[in-house]
Amino acid sequence: MPTLYTAHTPLYTATGGQGSTRLVAAWGRTQNKSLPPVIECGGWPGTGAWNPAIGVWSRKALTAAGYTVITVWTGANWGHPTGSSAPSSGPTGTGTTAISDARTWAGSILGLQNSVVHIYGTSMGGTNAAAWAAANPSLVGGVYMMSPALSLLHIWDLSGTAIPGGGTYPNYASSMASAYGTTPGDRAAFSTASQSIDPVRNTASFSGIGSHISIFAARDDDVIGWSNCASFASATGATLTASAPEGEPGGGHITPNLQAAYNEFDALQLFDSFNP
């Protein structure tokens, strides 16, 4: 019987608010305040708060290395700067403004270096990470995206359709229409309202920061559509890593991080590369 040794990294947390944004910060045994904050954006919250379990291993590596990870509540905003969340999505968030609020809070309250920030976005959080980065290129360190929703129209069209194997996808379209102030069911109006924010339709906005972006996704992720990640990466120069080789199960939208290709140190290495 082998002897197993485990290392326990203490995790310290603080909660707060900046403007109307709710924030939770976490750091490990040694908090290095000369490092930029890592701002974590979660996915579509549905009827409850964002469950950050999918990024837990990356977060452990980051906090162990001295980074402070700040989780923000954007609401179900789908990349919108200040749009309110859909009625089914719980408390109203502050959109991508939450990222700016977190940057301010990190400097003024936590005393962190905040000339740039790193962003970790999952699913809809990837939309937010990309949208904020495109609008604030001079403030971007590294941008790590897990299973990012990079095409809003793809998500709209998927809404309510049949899931292979049974069931239907959630009514994303209703949430998206609410966030952008358009009429539910009016795809043309939503397309116009989201034109300037939708990442895959605004790849030119990432000129100069494409090399700062790393994407990890599954080829069999129907929710975001692998082809959208591939198109975005090709147009911007972002790094794209598949969770599994073509033709093999990749974990879909929920569990790509359980596949062999996932490296919990990828985000750490990316952020270290773009520290000021």
Side-chain angles (χ1 to χ4, degrees):
M1 184 72 181
T3 301
L4 301 180
Y5 298 93
T6 59
H8 298 279
T9 301
L11 193 66
Y12 304 95
T13 62
T15 60
Q18 179 70 38
S20 298
T21 300
R22 292 179 292 161
L23 306 155
V24 179
W27 60 93
R29 178 184 291 111
T30 303
Q31 183 187 34
N32 186 345
K33 293 190 175 185
S34 69
L35 294 173
V38 175
I39 301 174
E40 183 175 19
C41 300
W44 183 63
T47 57
W50 159 241
N51 180 352
I54 194 169
V56 66
W57 294 109
S58 289
R59 198 177 307 110
K60 286 183 176 182
L62 290 164
T63 55
Y67 284 93
T68 301
V69 179
I70 303 174
T71 303
V72 297
W73 181 263
T74 64
N77 68 304
W78 300 101
H80 196 283
T82 57
S84 62
S85 61
S88 64
S89 301
T92 299
T94 51
T96 53
T97 299
I99 300 176
S100 297
D101 284 344
R103 175 177 174 266
T104 298
W105 189 70
S108 62
I109 302 301
L110 300 183
L112 304 182
Q113 187 291 128
N114 69 344
S115 59
V116 300
V117 298
H118 302 308
I119 314 175
Y120 190 119
T122 302
S123 192
M124 184 196 72
T127 313
N128 287 324
W132 192 88
N136 301 276
S138 66
L139 302 179
V140 172
V143 181
Y144 185 86
M145 296 190 282
M146 170 81 74
S147 305
L150 296 176
S151 171
L152 294 177
L153 294 182
H154 173 86
I155 303 291
W156 179 283
D157 293 338
L158 192 75
S159 176
T161 63
I163 298 175
T168 58
Y169 290 105
N171 187 12
Y172 301 120
S174 177
S175 172
M176 297 166 87
S178 177
Y180 281 80
T182 61
T183 303
D186 191 338
R187 186 183 189 277
F190 174 77
S191 177
T192 299
S194 61
Q195 171 65 52
S196 64
I197 293 174
D198 198 359
V200 81
R201 287 187 282 163
N202 289 281
T203 53
S205 299
F206 298 88
S207 176
I209 61 170
S211 63
H212 295 233
I213 301 172
S214 181
I215 303 168
F216 186 85
R219 298 179 192 275
D220 56 359
D221 186 344
D222 296 328
V223 175
I224 62 169
W226 169 262
S227 63
N228 294 310
C229 294
S231 296
F232 179 86
S234 176
T236 63
T239 299
L240 174 61
T241 302
S243 61
E246 190 169 0
E248 295 184 13
H253 189 60
I254 303 300
T255 59
N257 57 315
L258 301 183
Q259 308 309 308
Y262 178 67
N263 183 344
E264 61 266 40
F265 298 104
D266 278 349
L268 172 61
Q269 292 170 349
L270 174 72
F271 298 156
D272 277 351
S273 297
F274 293 105
N275 284 332

